[in-house]
Structures are given as C-alpha cells and as structure tokens.
Amino acid sequence: MAAWVGRTAVEIAAAVREKRVTPREVVAEHLARIERLDGRVGAFRAVRAEAALAEADEVAARPDLGELALAGVPVAVKDNLGVRGETMRVGSAATPDAPSAADHVTVARLRAAGAVVVGLTNVPELCVFGTTEGVHGTARNPWDVSRTAGGSSGGSAAAVAAGMTPIALGNDGMGSLRIPAANCGLVTLKPGHGVVPAGIGDGDWFGMSENGPLATTVADARLMLSVLADADVTAADGAGALRIAVSVRSPLAGVTVSAPYAGAARDAAGVLMKAGHLVRRADPPYPLSLGVTSLAHWTAGTAVDAATLDARLLTRRTRVHAALGRRFLNGVRAGSAREELRRRLEPFFAEYDVLLTPALARRSPKAGPWHERGWLRNVLANTNYSPMTPPWNLTGWPAMAVPSGTLPSGAPAAVQLVGRPGSEAELLRVAEQLENLRPWRRTASLDRSAR
C-alpha cells in the first residue's frame, strides 16, 4: 500500500500541517489508485487529475496551512453538488452539460478547510434510487463488486470504501447516505434539518435532503461534519449512560429484516449494554400509513426535480416515478403527514435517547442495468432491502449508519443510530464506542481480490 492511501483524513491533515508530506504527494497517490481501480468499481463520473494536482499546490502555498482542518485531504463529491468549472450531470442525459459557475456551499467549505476535490462521483438518475447506475456509469460495492454500492451516494461511498479517497461528500433524501454507507462498510451521519446547508436540487425534496460525510472512521466523520456544519455540533456531551432502544422491526408493513442484519443490531445492542448504557427492546410506533407517506414524498421530490428537464431524455423508471409524484405534490407540500409522524414519534424519543436498528433489511441487489428495468421492479428492490431509513428524512431528525459485523458473504453489515433533533454529538459518541469496542475493517482489499 502506498504511504498515504488508506490513511485517515485526520492523519493526512496532521501530516500536511506538520509538513511531513505535501498535498501534491497525497493527492497524486490517491489519483494513482483511482486510475488503477476505478475501472472495476465505477465510483467516479469525472476525475479532476490535473486540476486536483494544481489545487494541491495551491493548498501547500497557503499561509494558513498549519491551521487547516482538512489540509491536503483528497475528497470526492457527489455529482448533484456544484464544483466550480465542472459539469453537474446528476446521473442523467437530460441535465445541462455546462460547467458550474461556483462551488456549492458545502464544497466551498471543504476547500476552505484545505481539502482537494479529486472528482465527481456516480449517482442514479436524479438521485432517485438506492442503486447507482445509469448512462454515466455503474458504482459497485468494493467489498463485493457483483453487488451495487447502493444509492444514491453510491459513487461517493464506493470511492471511500476502495481507498480512492479518505472521505467523500454525499447527501440523503430517503437514505441516500446511509444505504451506500451500510453496503460499503462506512460511517455516515445524516444531520438533522438545518445543521448543514442543503441546497440540493430544486427544493431539497421538501426539506428532507441533507448533505453529510462518508468516512471510514467516526473521527473522520466528526471532522468533516465540523467543517460542513453551520455551528459546532460535534463536541462530546458527556460520558453518561444513555437510554437506548433496539428495534429490528421494519418501519414498512410487509417488509421483513433478514437474520444477518437483525443479528448485527442485536450484537451492537449487547456491546452498548456492556459499555454501561440502558438498552431495551422497544419498537417505535410506526403508523401503518408510513409506506404510502414515504412513497408520496419520494415520488413528489422527483417530480419537482424532473419538471424542467426534457422527459424524452429521462429513463422510463424516472419518468414513471415523476408522473406518480405529480399526483402527490399538493399533499406533500402541505406537510401535514410529516408533522403527524413527528408528533407520533416524539413520545418514544422522550423515553429513549437513541434508537438502534439494522441499517438495511438485506444485502444490496446485484449490480446491473437497473435504469433499463421497469419502475415497479426498481421500487420493490429498493423497498425490500432499504426500508429502515425513510422515517428519519420525513421527521428531519439525525441518523447514522455504522459498520457492525459481517454478512455471510464477508461484506460488511451495519446498524443505524437515530436521535432526537440536536443529538448529532450524542450519536457520534455512541458510534465511537461501537468502533472502539468492535473495530471494523476500513478499506476493501481490491488489490488482493484482483489477483
């Protein structure tokens, strides 16, 4: 392994600040790994090799180098956020190919902290689905390249899991950070509403979409979140025992959780109980209507994003999704279903500080041309493997995915941590305890599997 590939963002930034390595050396090593491995993984739509090296030199010349939180750290950016001078295609042939005039505010904050953008990562068309494939490429899980990386931040997750960047920027409207993080053995945090600037698409899916970090360690996720957030939400808030509810019940009626993922949640609960937390089995009072509410918001968000695009250039699954969503727009905009869900769940989170669940219901689908398949087949595949994430976009509350154990295939399993508004630091603390007491493998061994 090269000297800096596989190191954490915390380690790289410290070395660059102390001038033990230059930003150019770090970026060049990661670009070489991208060139060697991305043909198998499909993480990137566009790699900024020359621009990234030039920007690495600019970081090295900054007078404030010794103070930069992400000094010289390579970062990948999801292709639905503007990167100055680069096109933003959002996984579609229907989007404009004109370069972005400015960085998205989250990209600007990463760059201000010394990070270097090495490329833009693949997403499903308009970031709709929990698998990542389309006209610009297919993102595969580096732990098992026969499987999708997940979606919609699938390319960003694949880049980090393959060691092509130590951290990546993604976003989450119905699970789009947590689903690929869970597939790829990463840590992520979907922050609560208003913690990190959103500005994703045309209206942030009615305020449900949030930008957040993808990382291999809790420390890296905390560091990146501290750069992205409007205020410091990452400071540790004590070491006392928390009231933790563990639930392996799917929020969506008719969807079951497979034994490996249920087992991952139970094992994590045992770890936290031994750490001194008050852990109890308790299911949130999910309403039977949650499936309909989720579908209405999921499709309506797509209807808004597709409204100004040439429908003839969209894939059929996206057109059907948007057409259904137009029927729900008025009701979704009213916001009453989301407010009712919050009222229903608030008493549960008055009794418990943290909810622990499986992150997924089963392993991700096989990688393939899902964008060429029918709408219903896509929806069923997504719903059956990733029912755990949508409630927390609907409420706007913070939620994490954290690696926990392995699947029978050897790929990572994962759990989800959910908290009340403002509990990001609390969730990070619990995740860090899981990491310390049950460490995980950080990077997929693609080099070894290729031999």
Side-chain angles (χ1 to χ4, degrees):
M1 179 178 288
W4 298 101
V5 165
R7 302 286 189 97
T8 67
V10 169
E11 292 171 329
I12 290 170
V16 170
R17 287 194 298 268
E18 296 163 10
K19 297 189 177 181
R20 291 185 281 119
V21 66
T22 67
R24 174 175 275 264
E25 289 172 318
V26 172
V27 170
E29 287 187 6
H30 286 84
L31 288 171
R33 187 168 177 88
I34 293 169
E35 184 176 10
R36 186 169 72 252
L37 297 181
D38 200 41
R40 297 183 61 208
V41 176
F44 287 92
R45 178 187 68 79
V47 178
R48 309 177 65 249
E50 291 185 12
L53 290 171
E55 290 167 19
D57 291 340
E58 291 173 5
V59 171
R62 286 177 57 169
D64 59 348
L65 177 67
E67 303 169 6
L68 299 177
L70 294 173
V73 175
V75 63
V77 174
K78 185 176 180 179
D79 192 24
N80 68 340
L81 297 169
V83 174
R84 184 182 65 255
E86 305 291 339
T87 58
M88 184 179 71
R89 300 311 305 270
V90 202
S92 181
T95 50
D97 61 0
S100 297
D103 287 334
H104 185 276
V105 61
T106 53
V107 176
R109 288 181 179 184
L110 293 174
R111 281 179 153 160
V116 178
V117 177
V118 298
L120 292 95
T121 57
N122 275 315
V123 299
E125 186 170 59
L126 305 191
C127 298
V128 174
F129 293 100
T131 58
T132 292
E133 65 294 299
V135 296
H136 299 294
T138 297
R140 297 171 180 271
N141 187 343
W143 297 93
D144 180 356
V145 293
S146 72
R147 299 273 164 181
T148 178
S152 62
S153 305
S156 285
V160 176
M164 292 188 274
T165 58
I167 54 175
L169 179 61
N171 37 59
D172 189 315
M174 276 284 176
S176 290
L177 281 166
R178 289 161 290 157
I179 294 166
N183 285 326
C184 295
L186 302 179
V187 179
T188 192
L189 191 151
K190 178 196 79 67
H193 185 64
V195 170
V196 172
I200 307 159
D202 190 4
D204 302 327
W205 275 20
F206 312 98
M208 296 190 302
S209 292
E210 305 292 348
N211 291 308
L214 288 154
T216 63
T217 67
V218 176
D220 275 7
R222 179 186 285 114
L223 173 62
M224 190 171 171
L225 184 64
S226 71
V227 170
L228 295 173
D230 286 326
D232 185 7
V233 297
T234 64
D237 53 354
L242 298 173
R243 302 165 299 168
I244 298 176
V246 57
S247 173
V248 298
R249 172 193 165 197
S250 167
L252 303 183
V255 179
T256 58
V257 176
S258 66
Y261 278 101
R266 294 189 182 103
D267 288 348
V271 170
L272 294 174
M273 185 179 294
K274 290 178 182 177
H277 296 292
L278 306 175
V279 181
R280 299 288 184 271
R281 172 70 185 269
D283 295 327
Y286 302 118
L288 288 174
S289 60
L290 182 58
V292 174
T293 301
S294 299
L295 181 66
H297 287 73
W298 183 21
T299 57
T302 304
V304 172
D305 287 344
T308 60
L309 302 177
D310 185 345
R312 295 169 297 179
L313 298 177
L314 297 172
T315 61
R316 184 175 181 276
R317 67 174 183 176
T318 303
R319 292 198 305 270
V320 174
H321 210 72
L324 180 60
R326 287 193 289 272
R327 303 180 184 183
F328 293 120
L329 277 172
N330 288 338
V332 166
R333 284 176 173 143
S336 56
R338 294 180 65 196
E339 183 55 38
E340 182 179 341
L341 180 63
R342 282 189 284 264
R343 285 197 301 268
R344 185 180 180 98
L345 292 172
E346 279 167 354
F348 183 87
F349 282 89
E351 185 174 357
Y352 297 100
D353 301 302
V354 175
L355 170 65
L356 167 67
T357 77
L360 300 171
R362 51 184 49 81
R363 64 178 177 169
S364 62
K366 289 278 189 181
W370 284 95
H371 61 297
E372 298 174 358
R373 297 169 183 167
W375 174 80
L376 183 59
R377 187 176 176 188
N378 272 273
V379 168
L380 290 176
N382 279 238
T383 302
N384 286 332
Y385 103 93
S386 57
M388 314 302 293
T389 55
W392 317 114
N393 298 91
L394 292 165
T395 60
W397 299 343
M400 292 190 70
V402 183
S404 181
T406 58
L407 302 175
S409 67
V415 296
Q416 178 177 233
L417 302 172
V418 184
R420 62 177 72 90
S423 64
E424 285 83 3
E426 202 165 62
L427 296 181
L428 287 164
R429 177 162 67 90
V430 174
E432 196 162 49
Q433 287 183 309
L434 288 171
E435 181 180 25
N436 291 337
L437 296 170
R438 190 72 62 86
W440 50 77
R441 292 170 58 198
R442 292 180 42 246
T443 305
S445 302
L446 275 158
D447 287 326
R448 182 164 60 248
S449 64
R451 290 198 290 266

